[in-house]
Amino acid sequence: MENTKTNNNDMTPEEFKKYGYQFIDWIADYLKNMNEYPVLAQINPGDVKNKLPKTPPAQKESMDEILKDVNEIIMPGMTHWNHPGFMAYFNSSASGPGILAELLSGAFNINGMNWKSCPSATELEEVVLNWLRQMLKLPENFWGIIYDGGSSSTMHAIAAAREYKQELEIRTKGMSGRNEVPRLRLYKSEHGHSSIDKGAITLGIGIECIKIIECDDEFKMIPTKLEEAINEDIKNGWLPFCVVGTVGTTSSTSIDPIDEIADICKKNNVWLHVDASHAGTAAIVPEYNHILKGCEKADSFVVNPHKWMFMPIDVSAFYTPHQEILKRTFSLVHEYLKTAQDNEVINYMDYGIQLGRRFRSLKLWFVIRYFGTEGIINILREHLRLGKLFAEWIDNDPNFERLAPAPLSTVCFRAISKFETDINQFNEKLMNEINKTGTIFLSHTKLNGKFTIRLVVSHIRSNEELVKQAWQIIKAKYNELNIRGN
Ligand code: PLP
């Protein structure tokens, strides 16, 4: 149906429908037949690049040709995050309604910089973030904004924490070459995410100005160590300005004692940011809401629905009771951005570094409505049950040992080899062999110097059969390696 008449240079509506239907069919089949693909791309570096032309095409190409290359060049280089065997990192698995919301967002292609530029985007963001806040049982005065990821959210939190020390006038005068500005100190635990350091780099705080607080043997920040560090720093002329606590650390999902940390922060007038990027979602389940104990005292809080709430990346929900401080940090309105409604509406551009903003709230809206809060709770509850079940299997098998508590659905473990002397190397080999099967994909971390394999149950398509299958593969590969080692 090649139509020579153009539609303002774009595809004609007929062509759009033809390929649109074809693409939706393609996506539906892809999601249905995901098991036919290896979850982890089984290719070498350069394999995709080498199949693509070095220069852009001067002449138009058909959608048929583009789709053919998706199948033949792109697909072999895909690691399939939507594959049910994806149990690595913290997943971002996309549900049908989440994918459709993304499609609609692309079609609208709005820029939600201020209310006027798209009132629906602004007001839907306000409403769905208020829904999510209620689902998490966070206080009513927590005001929300969507950023692109946990790293951005934390960077914005650190910027707001610095602006909270308004008397330093860093917004206007900067930090360098000013003897009157004390060295600012930021605190995180040994297990705090690397995005905290990146935020400090970006904002000119500097990596050396981050103090790493020791953890206990369950990988949780030790509050007394934090208090000691703050006191010591004050004595030495530092200005403590921000603590980042974590609910659900990346390696093991350990949960810092936020309640106690918050009291130390209040006492010292230090901003507390809570990074609950992955684990925060679990707090929607009533019997797990306790993981957010103390978060009501935080100055900012982040949870990423794109990690465990079944929507395509990128949706990171940031909350703060200090809406005005966040605005003071980032608002800069040039004449061309002023609108008649400025005094009565939210202009989200005032609360972050982004001016242009995607219609991300559609994904939250579609997903929450399609599943309902009860539906989401049921899926999460099952993940949490499966995580516990897998942890029990590890605990009951003498060939394996658990390396961290499993408070949620992430299990950290390693195998014990009878033949290999280097246990770290053995476990790395084991993980690579498991991943080579293409059926499941696991990732690793190091805990107390031990190579640790992580299995995460957080996928929209997870079920007990899949977790059992993963366990069978892990045991089979372990046996194979041990026999070879014998
Ligand atoms: N914080 C924690 C605890 C994380 O586990 C992650 C990523 O997994 C991040 C922050 C970074 O989130 P994002 O990838 O959305 O920037």
Side-chain angles (χ1 to χ4, degrees):
M1 204 191 296
E2 199 60 39
N3 193 333
T4 48
K5 269 202 204 129
T6 58
N7 176 31
N8 296 327
N9 296 321
D10 193 11
M11 262 179 183
T12 62
E14 293 73 27
E15 220 189 342
F16 188 84
K17 280 187 193 170
K18 175 185 161 188
Y19 289 108
Y21 293 140
Q22 200 175 313
F23 265 62
I24 292 290
D25 284 346
W26 188 96
I27 293 169
D29 289 343
Y30 167 70
L31 294 174
K32 184 172 142 212
N33 303 322
M34 190 72 71
N35 283 337
E36 291 171 11
Y37 301 98
V39 51
L40 178 64
Q42 312 275 321
I43 63 162
N44 294 314
D47 283 358
V48 175
K49 252 188 321 196
N50 293 338
K51 288 191 194 132
L52 293 166
K54 300 269 175 294
T55 54
Q59 303 303 320
K60 75 184 288 242
E61 298 188 66
S62 72
M63 285 304 293
D64 291 326
E65 285 170 291
I66 298 171
L67 188 54
K68 181 168 168 284
D69 285 350
V70 169
N71 285 320
E72 292 176 6
I73 302 175
I74 301 301
M75 288 305 277
M78 291 296 295
T79 288
H80 297 281
W81 286 63
N82 259 343
H83 191 298
F86 192 110
M87 299 174 178
Y89 309 124
F90 286 139
N91 194 10
S92 167
S93 65
S95 59
I99 295 168
L100 292 175
E102 190 75 294
L103 182 65
L104 189 60
S105 165
F108 283 146
N109 190 34
I110 60 94
N111 176 342
M113 54 193 184
N114 55 26
W115 179 86
K116 184 181 175 184
S117 71
C118 188
S120 284
T122 299
E123 295 191 12
L124 188 67
E125 186 158 333
E126 290 179 56
V127 169
V128 292
L129 285 178
N130 193 28
W131 286 3
L132 181 63
R133 180 195 62 73
Q134 293 171 50
M135 289 161 73
L136 294 164
K137 298 192 174 57
L138 290 171
E140 265 179 45
N141 67 340
F142 271 39
W143 177 88
I145 177 169
I146 300 176
Y147 297 124
D148 64 359
S151 306
S152 291
S153 287
T154 291
M155 194 276 291
H156 283 83
I158 299 170
R162 189 175 63 179
E163 177 58 26
Y164 177 55
K165 303 285 179 194
Q166 195 175 11
E167 63 283 4
L168 301 177
E169 298 182 286
I170 289 173
R171 179 183 155 121
T172 43
K173 297 186 176 156
M175 291 176 73
S176 62
R178 295 180 62 206
N179 291 336
E180 73 276 22
V181 177
R183 295 194 81 187
L184 301 182
R185 183 70 97 184
L186 184 151
Y187 306 82
K188 66 169 227 176
S189 89
E190 301 170 57
H191 288 272
H193 192 259
S194 58
S195 57
I196 305 164
D197 308 54
K198 282 198 179 180
I201 295 168
T202 310
L203 293 163
I205 305 294
I207 289 182
E208 283 183 7
C209 298
I210 300 173
K211 187 159 259 181
I212 307 292
I213 306 299
E214 217 178 291
C215 288
D216 63 17
D217 51 12
E218 296 192 337
F219 313 109
K220 300 172 181 176
M221 187 192 284
I222 304 173
T224 50
K225 297 279 178 196
L226 172 68
E227 190 154 33
E228 277 165 30
I230 291 177
N231 291 338
E232 179 76 14
D233 281 341
I234 293 171
K235 231 190 286 160
N236 293 325
W238 288 81
L239 181 64
F241 82 107
C242 184
V243 173
V244 182
T246 309
V247 172
T249 57
T250 312
S251 286
S252 72
T253 64
S254 60
I255 297 165
D256 287 338
I258 301 296
D259 205 30
E260 287 166 74
I261 292 171
D263 291 341
I264 296 166
C265 289
K266 284 274 172 296
K267 193 163 120 194
N268 291 283
N269 200 21
V270 172
W271 184 286
L272 170 62
H273 174 60
V274 175
D275 177 2
S277 290
H278 163 74
T281 301
I284 295 172
V285 182
E287 62 272 28
Y288 280 85
N289 190 256
H290 64 86
I291 64 172
L292 298 189
K293 186 165 184 276
C295 290
E296 70 284 356
K297 295 186 260 182
D299 297 292
S300 54
F301 174 93
V302 56
V303 57
N304 282 1
H306 74 224
K307 286 202 195 295
W308 200 356
M309 232 177 107
F310 326 126
M311 63 194 72
I313 197 166
D314 50 359
V315 182
S316 177
F318 176 95
Y319 291 95
T320 177
H322 310 296
Q323 182 187 350
E324 280 315 307
I325 296 177
L326 191 63
K327 187 169 180 181
R328 205 169 76 203
T329 312
F330 290 106
S331 181
L332 192 69
V333 187
H334 281 191
E335 186 56 36
Y336 44 81
L337 293 170
K338 289 185 179 151
T339 70
Q341 298 82 15
D342 284 352
N343 291 329
E344 43 181 326
V345 296
I346 298 286
N347 291 324
Y348 276 112
M349 66 179 183
D350 288 338
Y351 298 89
I353 53 165
Q354 260 195 301
L355 176 64
R357 307 179 75 249
R358 305 176 64 226
F359 201 162
R360 296 189 181 105
S361 54
L362 278 174
K363 287 186 271 196
L364 263 170
W365 194 48
F366 273 42
V367 168
I368 295 174
R369 292 187 65 189
Y370 183 82
F371 293 102
T373 55
E374 285 180 11
I376 292 172
I377 289 169
N378 288 339
I379 301 172
L380 295 171
R381 190 176 272 144
E382 179 64 0
H383 289 173
L384 292 156
R385 185 186 76 82
L386 293 175
K388 293 266 171 294
L389 192 61
F390 183 78
E392 275 170 35
W393 295 339
I394 293 285
D395 291 347
N396 292 330
D397 190 316
N399 294 328
F400 291 86
E401 66 176 337
R402 207 133 59 76
L403 296 178
L408 301 168
S409 64
T410 295
V411 183
C412 292
F413 67 97
R414 70 173 175 178
I416 302 155
S417 168
K418 299 181 188 92
F419 308 107
E420 291 270 346
T421 45
D422 188 332
I423 190 161
N424 279 354
Q425 225 174 49
F426 176 77
N427 276 280
E428 189 169 358
K429 225 189 295 174
L430 174 63
M431 186 186 75
N432 291 338
E433 289 297 314
I434 291 165
N435 290 341
K436 268 194 222 154
T437 63
T439 309
I440 56 168
F441 174 30
L442 305 181
S443 61
H444 79 282
T445 187
K446 270 213 171 137
L447 292 173
N448 295 328
K450 297 171 185 166
F451 188 95
T452 304
I453 306 177
R454 295 164 73 258
L455 181 143
V456 184
V457 187
S458 64
H459 201 294
I460 180 79
R461 294 166 190 89
S462 267
N463 57 42
E464 189 164 336
E465 271 320 293
L466 288 160
V467 181
K468 262 189 200 151
Q469 182 192 34
W471 182 221
Q472 295 309 327
I473 292 171
I474 294 164
K475 286 194 297 186
K477 287 293 157 195
Y478 170 84
N479 288 334
E480 273 176 36
L481 280 184
N482 259 338
I483 289 162
R484 262 190 258 159
N486 196 348

